[in-house]
Amino acid sequence: MKTTPFTNIHIALGAKMHEFAGFNMPIEYSGIIDEHLTVLNSVGVFDVSHMGEFWVKGPKALEYLQTITSNDVSQLTVGKIQYTCFPNDKGGIVDDLLIYKYEDEKYLLVVNAGNLEKDWDWCIKHNTIGAELENASDRIAQLAVQGPKATEVLQRLTSVNLSEIPYYSFVTGEFAGCKNVIISNTGYTGAGGFELYFYLSDALTIWNALFEAGKPEGIKPAGLGARDTLRLEAGFCLYGNDLDETTSPIEAGLGWITKFPEGKEFVNRAELERQKKEGVTRKLCAFKMIDKGIPRHGYDILDMEGNHIGVVTSGTMSPSLKIGIGMGYVKPEYTKIDTEFIIQIRNRNLKAQVVKPPFREKK
């Protein structure tokens, strides 16, 4: 298995480790619920160094990105970030990703760890106009410092004014004495906070500085288990569950990142434009359990008469709400708020209700 610069620290701290996307990653330390609530109430640190980072550079960078992603990259200004996806040629999604506009002819793409090789191959295959591509994944580490007290802790370690970094924006500066650290405000927990991107050689310096600075707030490391429950409560999609090669961005409720400006000829534009205009046969919705039970990926969704109408893609027992919550694809007529349907959990038919995400208010 691959490792991150922090793997030995996770093991020394007694983290429950497991393979994820080819990496030996921490799933939990003190427990998923404890870590989840720590992030919501104070500050937690996630090692997300397994994520992939690609640089796209040169005079053809923008033109290239416009052909391979669904969102309108021309709207990005330096210091801003865009959520987007790589559409495939069958109506589905190769991956969802973030694009950072670093300079006028320099962009950073942040992709999911599980899709790293697939994404890189896709980017190379579709680079027919001579953009400069560089896979920097093995040279960049990343920590996500999340929670309402994250800004307070991080501010002790940098002269960059963190309160002046708006949502989906970033600054490159010095952090904990380390130069050229990207400090970005995107978040995947709905709890506030920042992501730090830095060279591998700075990893231990930054980790140690963070945990020293955060002692008064009770800072804790958090694993992928809590990251998943937090993102689900926040209503964010997870690739491999809610998004995959067979789900279109229109079906997934990502029409807002699927733009059709004149001159932007991207992969499978015509089909996605048709879907946006004519509608789709299934849509992603969020639901909460009325009956007691925990929905899981792959469980069947039935209408109140027992007819199959869809499938659960993500589900958990919400640590905040203390009820089962989930997302799934159903026929469009069942996505209206307050609609009730049935989740089949271990041969039991349990009632659920469609709700508007997020499940808890974002901070």
Side-chain angles (χ1 to χ4, degrees):
M1 282 188 287
K2 295 182 191 173
T3 59
T4 78
F6 308 107
T7 301
N8 289 337
I9 294 177
H10 303 319
I11 294 168
L13 290 172
K16 181 180 175 183
M17 305 293 289
H18 199 274
E19 185 275 334
F20 181 82
F23 284 80
N24 190 17
M25 296 297 291
I27 305 303
E28 59 181 288
Y29 300 83
S30 56
I32 291 173
I33 293 174
D34 180 64
E35 292 161 32
H36 181 110
L37 297 176
T38 295
V39 171
L40 285 188
N41 297 313
S42 183
V43 56
V45 180
F46 298 89
D47 176 10
V48 282
S49 303
H50 60 318
M51 299 288 280
E53 293 91 9
F54 306 156
W55 290 106
V56 179
K57 298 178 277 190
K60 295 287 188 179
L62 174 59
E63 184 184 347
Y64 166 72
L65 289 172
Q66 287 288 65
T67 67
I68 202 172
T69 65
S70 63
N71 211 333
D72 186 1
V73 191
S74 70
Q75 296 301 304
L76 267 182
T77 54
V78 173
K80 294 295 182 183
I81 306 164
Q82 187 178 80
Y83 179 54
T84 187
C85 74
F86 296 135
N88 67 20
D89 46 15
K90 304 179 188 69
I93 298 171
V94 177
D95 200 6
D96 63 330
L97 67 146
L98 296 174
I99 300 180
Y100 288 63
K101 185 163 184 178
Y102 203 78
E103 296 169 4
D104 274 337
E105 294 185 357
K106 187 176 183 181
Y107 299 81
L108 180 67
L109 276 51
V110 182
V111 303
N112 286 301
N115 294 331
L116 205 159
E117 287 184 24
K118 178 181 76 166
D119 288 354
W120 181 246
D121 290 344
W122 185 262
C123 287
I124 293 292
K125 176 184 173 185
H126 289 84
N127 184 19
T128 57
I129 59 171
E132 297 171 39
L133 303 184
E134 178 192 345
N135 186 349
S137 305
D138 292 339
R139 298 189 294 280
I140 296 176
Q142 187 193 158
L143 292 175
V145 186
Q146 298 284 290
K149 296 182 180 176
T151 304
E152 194 178 337
V153 171
L154 292 166
Q155 193 62 76
R156 294 172 190 148
L157 297 168
T158 183
S159 59
V160 173
N161 190 338
L162 300 180
S163 63
E164 292 182 357
I165 305 177
Y167 195 45
Y168 268 68
S169 302
F170 72 97
V171 168
T172 302
E174 191 170 308
F175 183 87
C178 303
K179 299 190 186 315
N180 299 315
V181 176
I182 295 174
I183 306 169
S184 92
N185 179 0
T186 62
Y188 191 52
T189 63
F194 293 85
E195 301 78 42
L196 306 171
Y197 297 81
F198 43 88
Y199 297 117
L200 303 187
S201 56
D202 292 329
L204 297 186
T205 299
I206 288 175
W207 177 280
N208 292 333
L210 269 175
F211 281 88
E212 185 61 35
K215 275 182 182 176
E217 286 72 26
I219 193 169
K220 288 183 181 179
L224 295 182
R227 192 164 168 82
D228 190 47
T229 54
L230 286 158
R231 72 88 195 166
L232 182 51
E233 283 189 355
F236 295 134
C237 291
L238 173 65
Y239 194 92
N241 284 43
D242 316 298
L243 309 172
D244 60 34
E245 295 275 359
T246 70
T247 57
S248 88
I250 309 302
E251 292 173 336
L254 299 178
W256 61 280
I257 67 162
T258 311
K259 307 283 178 59
F260 308 100
E262 189 175 340
K264 179 177 165 64
E265 294 305 323
F266 62 92
V267 176
N268 218 32
R269 169 174 171 150
E271 170 59 17
L272 295 177
E273 209 164 3
R274 183 195 68 76
Q275 287 184 15
K276 201 163 191 178
K277 186 177 176 183
E278 298 177 11
V280 289
T281 58
R282 60 175 184 167
K283 282 185 177 177
L284 189 65
C285 73
F287 62 86
K288 66 178 182 182
M289 298 301 299
I290 296 173
D291 293 333
K292 197 171 181 182
I294 305 174
R296 299 292 187 195
H297 176 79
Y299 285 4
D300 287 325
I301 304 177
L302 315 176
D303 66 17
M304 300 309 286
E305 285 73 51
N307 302 302
H308 188 272
I309 57 166
V311 66
V312 176
T313 53
S314 283
T316 194
M317 172 62 73
S318 164
S320 301
L321 308 175
K322 305 206 167 31
I323 58 169
I325 61 171
M327 294 197 287
Y329 285 93
V330 295
K331 294 178 179 178
E333 57 266 34
Y334 294 94
T335 59
K336 190 177 175 187
I337 303 302
D338 295 331
T339 298
E340 294 184 359
F341 48 54
I342 288 166
I343 311 294
Q344 273 200 320
I345 301 178
R346 295 196 184 91
N347 297 319
R348 293 160 64 219
N349 287 355
L350 302 180
K351 199 184 290 186
Q353 182 181 49
V354 176
V355 296
K356 184 177 179 5
F359 294 93
R360 59 171 160 77
E361 287 189 24
K362 295 176 191 170
K363 300 199 176 181

